[in-house]
Amino acid sequence: MVHGVAPVITVDGPGGSGKGTITQMLARKLGWHLLDSGALYRLTALAAGRQGVSLADEEGLVKVAAGLDVAFEPTPEGEPVKVILAGRDVTAEIRTESAGDNASKVAVMQSVRDALLQRQRDFRQAPGLVADGRDMGTVVFPDAPVKIFLTASAEERAQRRYGQLKDAGVNVSIDALLEEIRVRDERDMNRSAAPLKPADDAQVIDSTGLSIEEVLGRCMAAAGQA
Ligand code: DC
């Protein structure tokens, strides 16, 4: 651990690996702050749409990213953190498949990533931070004392997403979800700017076939808190 700097646990991995849930559970259990870095990419794409900035306009997107007026508000246990963009609750809006897809498109741009870098590092405050994303352990917090890379098979991730959407009353085909997951993985892993990959010193945890409690137990053990 770097002396005098708040500790960080990074949780990276592909979408649907359970990262978001695990990060929230870890942060709650430890009483630490939470960073949902994916939300920042989702918000950048959403705010761009609102401001009439095209997702192909890199310069415009950098300005949008740098000027994001966002607040994350804590919620009772079991509920997702509330995300407020320019005074409006966009918690549900940024979670749609298209918001995720748009986020993945703006996230390929190095200049957009640079514009969001310091904002992410500012979340590192005492007593500690649990950071969820794709490049938390490789780029944003390379000195984090604990790095977890959470993964699961594409089929299992599609199945989980299908369950979530069904519960929310959204009708989708599992094959379409699987295809979207594959396309997004491909884009996230093969981009030149901060591609999705485990840090050299990350502990890889495969959550395929495990319950969320089992995954949490493994993550706590990885964090030395079991
Ligand atoms: O974790 P998520 O599904 O909310 O992320 C949405 C997109 O944002 C994802 O496809 C890739 C991108 N992203 C990223 O490039 N770097 C991060 N640290 C987090 C997300």
Side-chain angles (χ1 to χ4, degrees):
M1 198 184 308
V2 181
H3 185 68
V5 179
V8 185
I9 298 175
T10 59
V11 186
D12 289 306
S17 58
K19 264 178 324 133
T21 309
I22 285 296
T23 304
Q24 294 210 13
M25 290 171 107
L26 276 174
R28 234 178 256 277
K29 215 165 167 124
L30 298 168
W32 288 11
H33 300 281
L34 180 154
L35 166 62
D36 173 4
S37 61
L40 295 175
Y41 291 94
R42 289 170 183 262
L43 285 162
T44 300
L46 182 69
R50 289 215 186 138
Q51 294 170 33
V53 173
S54 143
L55 295 188
D57 174 3
E58 186 160 349
E59 236 172 81
L61 288 170
V62 168
K63 283 194 192 127
V64 171
L68 274 186
D69 172 10
V70 56
F72 295 95
E73 291 183 359
T75 45
E77 189 161 358
E79 281 179 35
V81 172
K82 210 181 247 188
V83 186
I84 312 290
L85 177 65
R88 218 176 95 190
D89 185 346
V90 294
T91 315
E93 210 174 324
I94 61 162
R95 291 290 147 219
T96 63
E97 299 304 302
S98 71
D101 197 48
N102 288 340
S104 161
K105 286 177 187 157
V106 304
V108 301
M109 298 175 197
Q110 183 65 54
S111 55
V112 171
R113 307 193 69 84
D114 291 345
L116 293 172
L117 187 59
Q118 192 54 45
R119 192 189 283 266
Q120 296 175 77
R121 290 186 172 154
D122 289 344
F123 278 77
R124 185 176 197 166
Q125 286 173 19
L129 174 69
V130 189
D132 164 354
R134 303 290 189 289
D135 62 341
M136 298 296 96
T138 49
V139 176
V140 182
F141 304 108
D143 65 337
V146 177
K147 298 180 183 177
I148 293 168
F149 191 87
L150 201 56
T151 174
S153 70
E155 288 75 14
E156 170 124 354
R157 288 184 283 131
Q159 196 68 50
R160 288 179 190 164
R161 187 71 186 136
Y162 180 73
Q164 286 170 351
L165 290 170
K166 214 170 146 202
D167 288 347
V170 182
N171 214 350
V172 279
S173 96
I174 191 140
D175 288 346
L177 278 177
L178 187 57
E179 182 56 23
E180 269 174 38
I181 282 174
R182 292 209 165 112
V183 169
R184 181 111 58 94
D185 280 358
E186 177 79 14
R187 195 188 292 134
D188 291 347
M189 289 191 291
N190 293 315
R191 67 188 181 208
S192 59
L196 170 64
K197 61 164 194 215
D200 290 340
D201 50 351
Q203 306 182 58
V204 178
I205 297 175
D206 186 341
S207 71
T208 309
L210 299 182
S211 70
I212 203 76
E213 286 74 24
E214 287 171 320
V215 180
L216 180 64
R218 292 194 189 189
C219 290
M220 289 296 281
Q225 307 270 350

